[in-house]
Each structure stands twice: as structure tokens, then as C-alpha cells.
């Protein structure tokens, strides 16, 4: 017999029931509570399966999307803040926001494994009820792409029936992205940023500029001198990597659940999603890798 097993067990361990302390608030009428603070009544009554009879797995499908949208809301909040901090030459606090976004992205990528428990046959049993709705119509997803610099004015049309979403996207389309602000910040520090990049139409997608790759080569080759910029470059690379990993996991999940079927949003499906893997937010930060040490 071990010594610890002869010691007197605590009250809690003995009855396997924890006593409520006298100070614990139990009369919560007219007081702030967990549920009221978090708006739980609304949140938990926002799941409305459309399948008839209701399919067991549709709740999984809805909650997977809703949790994604909640996290996207925070990603947008943090990326906006990061962009504005960079615009105010406050790189260090901006990195804090970016670090948080990176953790959210990892959570979102990890979350695909939950949806992967949905088999093709189970999904086929309620897919028709989804009509023409599709993740392609997620305005928050588009907002994140816009904030990172992958602008595409054509995406706004999808939101003709959602004026508030469309307004927010149109606003982001016209504003500089986090990358635009980073480039402007470099110019303010005196780095030789090509003028075309400073004058560019920010409502268009950013495209690669050799002059910027060259500038980054200088940063990477003399990192001791430019540590904060160097660190920020790597943080941006992480953001893009994480975003692409999410896209890839989406693609693989779609492949295993609907195979080669066209999408409910009207696209070819997997082939269309595949093309997004060729998009890049920060092309020069990847191009510079071929130049280092040459
Ligand atoms: C059974 C699971 C899923 C399937 C079969 C699926 C399928 C598809 C397909 C085929 C598309 C292309 C557009 C279309 O024609 O519909 C698409 C786009 C999209 N889906 Fe999903 N999806 C699934 C789950 C999710 C989840 C959980 C999210 C999270 C919000 C999501 C977000 C998106 C987004 C943002 C797009 C637009 C991507 C782009 O423009 O490149 N999807 N999805
Ligand atoms: N596009 C999917 C349907 C789908 O996944 C979906 C439907 C409604 C709301 C969000 C969705 N998620 C991603 O596209 C499909 O073609 O099966």
C-alpha cells in the first residue's frame, strides 16, 4: 500500500462531489450573467437545419461554418488593427495582432478534421436542401482576402442581395491592404520602394514587382541591421502559409466529400478551388527566397 492511500481523503474526493462555496452567486435575477453577457440565447438559437426530415449531420455542418465565421470575425478585427498600426509606424504592436491571427488560422485548419467525419453518403442525404448556398458567398472570407491584398472587385456582385456585407467589402476594396501599408512603412523608413508600388491602385490585386524583391533581398542579407522588418516579413510569410494550408484542407475535404461534382455555388467545384492555391498575397516575400545567398 502506498503512503498516499493511507492519508485521509478530502471531503471532495470522498464524496466525489464539490461543495458550493457560500459566496457563490446563485440569485442572478437582474444581474450580468454568463448567458446574458455572451448573448447565448441568440447564439444557440441560430442553428436552423433545413433538411426534412432533419438530418442528424446537418447540425455538424452548420456549426462548423458558424464557428469558422466567428473566428473570421476576430481575424478581420485583428488584421484591421494590424494594418492601422503599421500605417502608424507601430510595427511591434502589429506583430502581436498577427501572432493572434496565426493561432486562429491554426485552429481553423485543425477544425477540418471534425467535418471530415462527414461521409459522402451522409452529406449527399442533405446536400440538395442547401440549394445554391455556398461558402463562396462568405463575405468575411473575402474580407480577409482583401485585407491581405488579394483584391477582386468581381467578388462584390455576389453580395447584391446583402447590402451591408457589400458595403463593408467595397470599403476594404478601396483601402490599402496590410501589405500596402507595410510597403509604405518601408518607404517612410527610407528603403528604396519602387514608386509604382506607392502609387498603385489599391483596389486591384497586388502583383509581383522585382524592385520590391530586391529590397527584401537587402533586408534578408543584412538581417541584424533590419531585424524588426526581417521579423515582420517572416510573420507575413506565416500568414500566407497558414491561409494556403486552410485552402488546401478545404480542397481535400471537398474532394473526399463531393469528389468531382460541381459546387452548389455554380462553380466547377474542386477544379475551381484548385486555382486559388496559385494565388499569392506577398509574392516578393516568396520570390526573395530564390535570391538569398546568390
Ligand atoms: C462538405 C463540406 C464542404 C464542401 C463539399 C464544400 C464545397 C465547396 C465548393 C465546391 C466550393 C466552390 C464554390 C461552389 O461552387 O460552391 C466551395 C467554396 C468555398 N467554401 Fe466550401 N465546402 C465545404 C465546407 C466549407 C466550410 C466548412 C467552409 C468554412 C466557412 C467553407 C468555405 C468556403 C469558402 C470560403 C469558399 C470560397 C473559396 C474560394 O473562393 O476559393 N466550405 N466550397
Ligand atoms: N459548396 C458546397 C456546399 C457547401 O459546402 C456550403 C453550403 C452552404 C453554406 C456553406 C457551404 N460551405 C462551403 O462551400 C457543395 O457544393 O456541396
Amino acid at each position: 500500500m502506498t503512503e498516499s492511500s493511507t492519508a485521509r481523503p478530502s471531503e471532495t474526493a470522498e464524496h466525489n462531489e464539490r461543495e458550493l462555496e457560500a459566496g457563490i452567486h446563485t440569485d442572478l435575477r437582474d444581474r450580468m450573467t454568463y448567458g446574458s453577457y455572451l448573448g447565448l440565447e441568440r447564439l444557440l438559437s441560430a442553428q436552423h437545419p433545413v433538411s426534412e426530415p432533419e438530418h442528424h449531420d446537418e447540425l455538424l455542418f452548420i456549426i462548423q461554418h458558424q464557428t469558422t465565421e466567428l473566428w473570421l470575425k476576430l481575424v478581420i478585427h485583428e488584421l484591421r488593427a494590424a494594418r492601422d498600426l503599421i500605417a502608424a509606424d507601430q510595427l511591434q504592436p502589429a506583430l502581436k495582432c498577427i501572432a493572434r491571427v496565426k493561432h486562429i488560422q491554426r485552429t481553423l485548419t485543425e477544425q477540418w478534421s471534425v467535418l471530415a467525419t462527414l461521409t459522402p453518403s451522409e452529406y449527399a442525404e442533405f446536400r440538395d436542401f442547401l440549394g445554391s448556398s455556398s461558402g463562396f458567398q462568405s463575405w468575411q472570407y473575402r474580407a480577409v482576402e482583401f485585407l491581405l491584398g488579394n483584391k477582386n472587385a468581381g467578388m462584390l456582385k455576389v453580395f447584391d442581395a446583402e447590402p451591408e456585407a457589400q458595403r463593408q467589402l467595397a470599403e476594404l476594396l478601396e483601402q490599402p491592404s496590410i501589405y500596402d501599408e507595410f510597403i509604405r512603412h518601408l518607404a517612410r523608413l527610407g528603403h528604396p520602394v519602387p514608386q509604382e508600388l506607392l502609387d498603385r491602385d489599391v483596389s486591384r490585386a497586388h502583383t509581383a514587382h522585382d524592385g520590391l524583391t530586391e529590397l527584401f533581398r537587402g533586408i534578408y542579407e543584412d538581417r541584424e541591421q533590419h531585424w524588426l522588418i526581417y521579423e515582420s516579413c517572416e510573420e507575413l510569410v506565416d500568414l500566407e502559409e497558414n491561409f494556403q494550408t486552410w485552402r488546401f484542407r478545404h480542397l481535400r475535404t471537398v474532394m473526399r466529400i463531393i469528389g468531382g461534382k460541381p459546387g452548389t455555388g455554380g462553380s466547377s467545384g474542386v477544379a475551381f478551388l484548385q486555382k486559388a492555391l496559385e494565388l499569392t498575397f506577398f509574392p516578393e516575400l516568396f520570390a526573395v527566397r530564390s535570391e538569398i545567398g546568390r
Side-chain angles (χ1 to χ4, degrees):
M1 210 179 255
T2 62
E3 208 176 309
S4 65
S5 65
T6 61
R8 203 170 155 270
S10 73
E11 197 77 346
T12 307
E14 197 178 353
H15 304 291
N16 204 17
E17 192 177 282
R18 185 178 56 171
E19 286 276 328
L20 292 192
E21 294 174 357
I24 287 176
H25 304 300
T26 52
D27 184 0
L28 292 159
R29 279 167 298 185
D30 304 321
R31 297 181 74 171
M32 169 94 79
T33 66
Y34 179 79
S36 66
Y37 174 63
L38 297 170
L40 278 192
E41 219 171 276
R42 293 190 69 191
L43 188 66
L44 297 178
S45 56
Q47 292 70 41
H48 305 289
V50 292
S51 54
E52 281 181 54
E54 186 177 321
H55 195 286
H56 171 83
D57 298 316
E58 196 182 346
L59 189 61
L60 158 71
F61 190 77
I62 293 172
I63 289 180
Q64 177 98 15
H65 284 89
Q66 288 183 336
T67 49
T68 303
E69 290 293 339
L70 276 179
W71 281 123
L72 287 178
K73 181 169 181 170
L74 186 58
V75 167
I76 293 166
H77 182 69
E78 298 295 339
L79 287 179
R80 273 186 198 272
R83 181 199 58 188
D84 296 346
L85 284 162
I86 297 170
D89 295 326
Q90 296 201 50
L91 217 47
Q92 203 84 66
L95 293 188
K96 175 86 176 14
C97 298
I98 292 175
R100 186 173 291 166
V101 170
K102 282 166 53 179
H103 283 290
I104 300 170
Q105 288 176 313
R106 287 187 202 116
T107 293
L108 287 176
T109 296
E110 200 45 50
Q111 189 173 272
W112 282 114
S113 65
V114 184
L115 194 63
T117 62
L118 180 70
T119 66
S121 31
E122 287 160 352
Y123 182 54
E125 285 162 7
F126 65 88
R127 186 182 188 225
D128 283 348
F129 292 98
L130 303 176
S132 55
S133 64
S134 163
F136 188 75
Q137 298 142 16
S138 163
W139 76 265
Q140 292 204 114
Y141 178 82
R142 256 2 120 194
V144 175
E145 285 189 328
F146 284 10
L147 275 161
L148 293 175
N150 188 236
K151 305 284 181 73
N152 186 339
M155 296 295 182
L156 265 64
K157 188 93 190 77
V158 179
F159 303 98
D160 281 350
E162 293 169 64
E164 178 50 26
Q166 195 174 52
R167 190 194 62 73
Q168 294 222 40
L169 275 182
E171 192 178 283
L172 286 174
L173 187 77
E174 296 301 328
Q175 291 173 348
S177 70
I178 200 164
Y179 199 43
D180 290 318
E181 290 298 1
F182 184 56
I183 290 166
R184 292 177 186 189
H185 171 74
L186 295 177
R188 285 192 297 274
L189 289 179
H191 292 281
V193 173
Q195 193 60 39
E196 295 111 270
L197 286 177
L198 300 173
D199 297 339
R200 81 176 203 93
D201 174 1
V202 297
S203 73
R204 306 292 303 272
H206 171 92
T207 53
H209 193 300
D210 289 345
L212 187 57
T213 306
E214 188 51 27
L215 191 166
F216 287 146
R217 193 171 65 82
I219 304 278
Y220 276 77
E221 291 191 339
D222 195 3
R223 60 182 187 280
E224 303 292 341
Q225 272 299 309
H226 309 288
W227 194 267
L228 189 54
I229 299 293
Y230 165 69
E231 185 187 0
S232 306
C233 288
E234 288 295 289
E235 291 300 308
L236 291 177
V237 168
D238 287 343
L239 276 184
E240 172 154 347
E241 279 252 306
N242 289 352
F243 199 97
Q244 286 294 27
T245 307
W246 184 93
R247 279 181 174 149
F248 183 71
R249 290 293 304 275
H250 175 244
L251 175 87
R252 298 299 304 191
T253 310
V254 174
M255 272 173 98
R256 70 184 280 170
I257 298 182
I258 64 165
K261 292 175 193 152
T264 50
S267 81
S268 58
V270 164
F272 177 69
L273 295 172
Q274 191 97 48
K275 289 190 199 122
L277 293 178
E278 286 169 36
L279 297 171
T280 170
F281 298 116
F282 317 124
E284 296 86 355
L285 288 176
F286 288 88
V288 73
R289 282 148 160 84
S290 319
E291 305 303 324
I292 293 162
R294 272 206 168 154

